[in-house]
Amino acid sequence: MRVLMITPGTRGDVAPMAGLGSRLRTLGFDVAIAANTAYAHLVTTAGCEHRELPGDMSHLVSPAAPGKKATGADLRSYMRELGDYFDLAATGTLAAAEAGADVILANAVAPFAYDVAEALGIPAIGAHLQPTESSAAYPPVVLGTARSLGPAGNKLLGSLISAGKAPYDAPSARIRQVLGLTKKARSASERARRNANRPVLHGMSPTVFPRPADWRSGLAMTGYWWPEAEPGWQPPAELVEFLADGPPPVFIGFGSSAALDADFMLDAAHRAGARAVLQGVQGVSGPGAISIGAVPHEWLFPQMAAVVHHAGAGTSAAGLRAGVPTVGVPIYTDQAFWAARIASLGAGPQPIRYRELTKERLVSAITQAMATPDYAARARQLSAALSTEDGTAPVVAALRSAAKPI
């Protein structure tokens, strides 16, 4: 079976799918992943075929600096850039599917993949890394807040946002026109899939977030899809020497966003009395701190005293898997949701919203994370539970069911 994964987004969106793709290949599936060129190596080292999605989302992270609120002009410009990005992704999705596929797995920001699948007469299955269905259990993750509005408010607002405008609406409409499909709004297509109970797989753990009671039966929670280790990867000698030359440090990094400068991170770690491994900056080297490039979380995080990050879905999962406390500094969309989940599970202090971030607050949170034994103990308990889960088996079952003749 030829499986095509459609993964617009940043590295955090692609890496879990590449890990899943690698495991599907060992079970006999032929896997191609459509992703931005920046992540081609990530895809191919997992043994999957890379098909290009034009564009680069890495700079589309937040329209404002830490501690500042975005202006209306900032937000309008940001949404225009997102729309342009998704238009390129829609074009790339069509080309990727025309290169051959028997079934499509589409992430949460690729609704145009369903339009392409409809035109080509092949099944499409949702493969999401965050909960996007409207529910009484949580507020809509696209709002970038974890503040509950109560069961009725959460459900109502989630439904309104699902039916409202999104930056991938115009790309979906254009692709339908190009393919000669009947005119249909993206929200109407989603509503039709929901009414038909079409499957959506969620690559996240019920240990971290229990399945909501009001989810329809077609929504499955599989367990995490862990990124694949790069064959033959070796850590930089300077990093190995740094880790061996003192107590466990604190990791501070913000994925694709590079959200903080080196001086801010260095001063916060120093004032918290911690050595630091800094990701997203360059040129830091010494007994108290070191800067790094891409290093596998599964290797690095277990050696940390705590991890400070943006609380993206994949990075949050990696911190819990490593069994170390987390300080969440969410920037946008679902990051606030995951940061709040980690704190509610007792694996770290209360998160700091990026727009409210100050050096003093970060110092306090790092100090709490390192000085509170209960955080580390709870993180280790969650790590043990995650190690028993298999996120691949439910995906295999869904793929085989989708391929059955009707």
Side-chain angles (χ1 to χ4, degrees):
M1 185 190 301
R2 297 172 299 169
V3 178
L4 173 61
M5 300 179 177
I6 306 297
T7 61
T10 63
R11 181 184 181 90
D13 298 292
V14 179
M17 303 306 291
L20 173 62
S22 177
R23 283 178 278 283
L24 290 175
R25 284 188 69 255
T26 67
L27 298 172
F29 292 86
D30 182 351
V31 181
I33 300 178
N36 295 153
T37 302
Y39 311 117
H41 180 71
L42 181 66
V43 170
T44 56
T45 55
C48 303
E49 177 192 351
H50 175 253
R51 297 182 186 174
E52 181 188 3
L53 292 185
D56 177 12
M57 198 181 190
S58 62
H59 68 288
L60 296 174
V61 177
S62 177
K68 295 183 179 179
K69 188 174 182 179
T71 66
D74 290 334
L75 291 172
R76 286 190 294 273
S77 175
Y78 181 64
M79 294 305 291
R80 281 196 300 271
E81 289 189 82
L82 280 177
D84 292 342
Y85 172 81
F86 285 120
D87 194 62
L88 290 171
T91 298
T93 294
L94 176 56
E98 288 178 334
D102 297 314
V103 62
I104 289 176
L105 292 179
N107 77 5
V109 292
F112 35 78
Y114 294 95
D115 303 312
V116 170
E118 179 184 341
L120 298 182
I122 59 177
I125 300 172
H128 297 186
L129 301 177
Q130 54 284 113
T132 57
E133 190 81 4
S134 60
S135 171
Y138 50 86
V141 297
V142 297
L143 294 181
T145 178
R147 180 175 174 270
S148 176
L149 303 173
N154 289 341
K155 185 78 172 182
L156 176 60
L157 187 56
S159 298
L160 290 173
I161 287 178
S162 177
K165 293 182 179 180
Y168 28 69
D169 287 352
S172 292
R174 182 181 64 80
I175 284 294
R176 290 190 69 84
Q177 184 179 32
V178 166
L179 293 171
L181 298 173
T182 57
K183 187 175 181 180
K184 184 185 294 186
R186 183 270 314 166
S187 57
S189 295
E190 288 185 351
R191 185 166 58 251
R193 291 194 296 274
R194 192 176 300 116
N195 292 339
N197 201 27
R198 295 280 293 277
V200 178
L201 307 170
H202 294 79
M204 56 196 194
S205 169
T207 296
V208 176
F209 180 59
R211 186 182 190 279
D214 60 354
W215 271 15
R216 59 185 175 84
S217 61
L219 304 178
M221 197 173 288
T222 67
Y224 285 119
W225 302 323
W226 299 114
E228 189 73 4
E230 183 175 342
W233 180 86
Q234 294 293 325
E238 186 182 15
L239 176 57
V240 173
E241 292 169 4
F242 175 82
L243 294 175
D245 195 32
V250 169
F251 168 88
I252 308 177
F254 290 82
S256 301
S257 61
L260 298 180
D261 63 39
D263 289 341
F264 190 106
M265 293 189 281
L266 279 170
D267 193 36
H270 176 73
R271 288 165 60 179
R275 300 198 314 144
V277 173
L278 310 180
Q279 192 171 55
V281 297
Q282 297 179 348
V284 178
S285 179
I290 188 172
S291 57
I292 60 170
V295 174
H297 290 158
E298 64 269 22
W299 179 86
L300 181 65
F301 280 9
Q303 303 179 73
M304 300 294 103
V307 292
V308 181
H309 55 70
H310 57 305
T315 312
S316 296
L320 294 174
R321 186 189 194 189
V324 296
T326 295
V327 175
V329 185
I331 302 174
Y332 69 132
T333 58
D334 63 319
Q335 295 168 2
F337 172 83
W338 295 114
R341 287 305 306 160
I342 291 168
S344 70
L345 291 166
Q350 288 299 311
I352 310 165
R353 291 193 295 181
Y354 181 71
R355 65 175 178 267
E356 297 174 353
L357 180 64
T358 64
K359 201 172 294 181
E360 291 70 25
R361 286 174 174 162
L362 185 57
V363 170
S364 176
I366 292 173
T367 303
Q368 286 182 57
M370 296 179 65
T372 307
D374 286 351
Y375 291 151
R378 182 60 178 142
R380 288 192 295 270
Q381 291 173 356
L382 291 166
S383 175
L386 293 178
S387 69
T388 67
E389 297 177 358
D390 175 13
T392 305
V395 179
V396 171
L399 289 171
R400 289 177 174 161
S401 177
K404 290 180 180 177
I406 299 174

